[in-house]
Amino acid sequence: MREIAAILVSAILVDNFVLSRFLGICPFLGVSKKFENAVGMGVAVTFVMVCSSLMTHPIYNLLLAPFGLGYLRTISFIIVIALFVQLVEMALKKKIPSLYKGLGVYLPLMATNCAVLGVTILNIDAGYSLLKSAIHALGGGLGFTLALIIFSCVRSRIEEAVVPPMFKGVPATLIAASIVSVSFMGFAGLFS
Amino acid sequence: MPKKRITVTQELLKGIIKENPVFVMLLGMCPSLAVTTMAYNGLGLGVATTFVLICSSAAISALSNVIPSTVRLPSYIAVIAGFTTLTELLLKGFVPPLYESLGIFLPLIATNCIIFVRAELFASKNGVTRSVADAVGVGLGFTLALFLMGSIREIFGAGMWMAGTPIAVDFNISAPMTLFILPAGGLFVLGVIIAVVNKITDKKPPQEIGCANCPRAATCPTFNKNLPINEEQLVINIAPQSAD
């Protein structure tokens, strides 16, 4: 139990997927302009990350590893994730149209999101069990959402601030992200 | 085909400076921030990505008439992931230390947006020679960007340059600024470099980032408010219709 709590908290705070592992920087910078979009993207990423972890774990341990096909994991994982995203999109559209309207637009971007492929590979590298993989993915997704929400609030201030012309736009955003990342450094060593 | 008037050499050169994938197009940010703690790692990932980019551009441009446009993106994903696996195995066999230090970012070449953008916007519409020239140029631009960021972060953050190679230089700095090799330093260095590039090229800084450069942006309702969100549209999102 203690170990599971440690995996969850360290994935959210210490090894934050965006700010210390640098996974999913593109959606982090692209979708953080508005608070509502940040929440929607965060929920969609968390959901896809947990489900992909639950699917790729048995695929690796039951199909690939026993036959010495471990090297096929990149190609098989990415195809499974792309297929899953497509399936979720179709299922949501039929069954829960209201949720689909909210999330739907973010789902297609998920297939090439490196946080999703990243979490599945990190699970395998760390040798987590199925439960721990799911917890790790949940923590990673929540950490992503947290970073996105904090940054969307910081960013609404940056947009209105007066910055030197050469720093206007992307450079100012990146430096603001760097300062947010410094604040997450305070959590380093929480579990060591 | 608007690119026809450009010669093959220009195709190759434009990716290095004028359309540098990291500093100007703002693509492939995740790997360029994560692995550039050392110049050698940046160089290594740059070369590995260039290799995948050249192979997949050649394959995709050769196959572009065979692949139906509705299943284009899944096919590209399969081609790119295949070459990524090949690169992983080659590095594991021949350069094990580099394989270890690149870690998770080696398999993640498969989700590098630079490769998707070049496949979707260039390789699928141009011949093999031109696509390979474009891939070499963009790959070199990416490698140079990674090497530059890696050098800056390593010199300031660790007081060394090219550590772990025969030409390693030690600057004997008593108290290096460790912040530069931490994640926060990566974001800061990239922000400053983009600002300097803006100043030099005297260009209006890009306002959009990430998803706006996505090859699917044109068909994605999030970024194209004019598009109605209807059934047809959302099926197309994964495999957009060919651009005009």
Side-chain angles (χ1 to χ4, degrees), chain B residues 108-216:
Chain B
L108 286 182
I109 293 177
T111 55
N112 191 316
C113 23
I114 296 175
I115 304 179
F116 274 98
V117 170
R118 291 338 286 182
E120 172 74 12
L121 296 184
F122 200 89
S124 60
K125 297 173 196 159
N126 288 279
V128 176
T129 324
R130 229 160 239 279
S131 302
V132 168
D134 174 72
V136 171
V138 173
L140 279 179
F142 183 64
T143 311
L144 271 179
L146 254 60
F147 182 64
L148 176 67
M149 274 189 70
S151 303
I152 294 177
R153 290 179 69 185
E154 196 180 359
I155 290 169
F156 283 107
M160 312 260 283
W161 188 65
M162 293 296 276
T165 61
I167 55 160
V169 183
D170 193 341
F171 294 97
N172 285 319
I173 298 173
S174 56
M177 293 177 273
T178 324
L179 187 71
F180 272 87
I181 54 173
L182 293 174
L187 290 163
F188 181 77
V189 170
L190 183 58
V192 172
I193 293 179
I194 293 176
V196 171
V197 169
N198 284 339
K199 185 81 183 168
I200 293 171
T201 55
D202 200 25
K203 199 169 64 83
K204 199 168 165 286
Q207 300 295 318
E208 290 295 333
I209 198 166
C211 292
N213 293 315
C214 165
R216 279 171 262 166

